[in-house]
Amino acid sequence: MGKPRSPKGRAREVVARLAREYPGTEMELCALRHEGLFQLLVATILTAQTTDERVNKVPPALFERYPTPADLAAADPTELENLIRPTGFFRNKAHSLQAMAQALEERFGGEVPSELEDLVSLPGVGRKTANVVRSVGFGLPGLPVDTHVGRVARRLDLTSQTDPVKAELELNALVAPAERGRFSLRLILLGRRVCHPRRPRCEDCILCDLCPSAFRVGR
């Protein structure tokens, strides 16, 4: 079979190969430990400027102390800051978490909404976080663009955009709605395991023959 020449054709083949390499649902592919929508939303907000691994050390104590949005909204700020301190930027994150929890209580009856417009109206929630909640939590279309997704997608020439929102919109045009969440999570796995920022392991990559950037980065 010939190499796909168009971004649409390349995207179709990338989606298929990644699905074979990293099988599973959005829930199974997501690295964040969580139980339910509220925990997923909190954990995703905490991932800003840090790793999923570091965030995963926080939830047990955090959600034992604040199991509901109402509990989090009423939290003592200093106690909350101490619980999430390992994730970095803990003062800003604590403020965002409490404001988000208050908004959930006041505007959504303590429930996490599913619509993108509602999610991004919450304090501390941007499109990336909203798309994580939609795709992983609700099983709805959503393509979160983090540093891994953006880097790998640009190397594959699926987008030229460095702005996450613009990259998301370009990728949405190439990937079917039902595949967007899994596609994002699989690009993250490839970016972490193979397509590293400085020295990608092109020789080990299942997309090497499709990638316009193969063996050109870090050489």
Side-chain angles (χ1 to χ4, degrees):
M1 183 177 67
K3 183 187 299 186
R5 294 184 178 181
S6 69
K8 189 82 172 180
R10 190 159 53 251
R12 190 181 306 114
E13 182 64 19
V14 167
V15 167
R17 292 192 192 184
L18 289 177
R20 291 193 295 268
E21 183 73 6
Y22 306 115
T25 65
E26 287 90 347
M27 284 286 290
E28 292 166 339
L29 293 166
C30 180
L32 289 174
R33 297 175 188 168
H34 65 279
E35 296 180 8
L37 293 165
F38 174 60
Q39 291 193 13
L40 175 62
L41 177 55
V42 170
T44 308
I45 290 173
L46 290 175
T47 60
Q49 306 299 316
T50 191
T51 63
D52 292 351
E53 291 77 11
R54 183 161 292 184
V55 170
N56 282 338
K57 298 176 181 178
V58 171
L62 179 64
F63 295 123
E64 181 178 349
R65 185 70 182 86
Y66 312 116
T68 70
D71 295 320
L72 184 57
D76 175 75
T78 301
E79 183 179 0
L80 176 58
E81 289 173 5
N82 287 333
L83 283 170
I84 66 172
R85 184 183 292 265
T87 69
F89 301 95
F90 57 91
R91 290 191 179 90
N92 289 338
K93 290 180 181 179
H95 177 76
S96 293
L97 289 178
Q98 286 206 276
M100 176 274 292
Q102 290 166 0
L104 285 181
E105 284 296 310
E106 293 170 2
R107 295 197 278 122
F108 300 102
E111 300 294 327
V112 177
S114 62
E115 293 302 314
L116 184 68
E117 294 77 10
D118 292 332
L119 286 164
V120 297
S121 76
L122 297 169
V125 178
R127 286 185 68 95
K128 185 188 83 170
T129 295
N131 278 319
V132 170
V133 172
R134 278 176 57 82
S135 59
V136 176
F138 287 101
L140 295 171
L143 204 162
V145 176
D146 71 353
T147 55
H148 296 293
V149 173
R151 178 180 72 254
V152 177
R154 286 191 296 274
R155 286 178 177 174
L156 288 166
D157 199 21
L158 299 180
T159 180
S160 61
Q161 301 293 339
T162 56
D163 177 80
V165 175
K166 292 179 180 178
E168 175 201 337
L169 297 178
E170 286 196 352
L171 292 172
N172 281 346
L174 301 176
V175 180
E179 293 291 337
R180 289 172 187 166
R182 293 189 293 272
F183 175 71
S184 171
L185 290 163
R186 288 164 177 153
L187 282 186
I188 291 171
L189 289 172
L190 185 73
R192 287 175 175 166
R193 299 177 182 180
V194 180
C195 195
H196 301 151
R198 295 185 179 178
R199 294 192 64 83
R201 293 168 38 218
C202 299
E203 63 278 6
D204 298 323
C205 184
I206 59 168
L207 304 177
C208 181
D209 61 311
L210 298 175
C211 182
S213 305
F215 300 103
R216 296 183 181 182
V217 179
R219 295 302 195 271

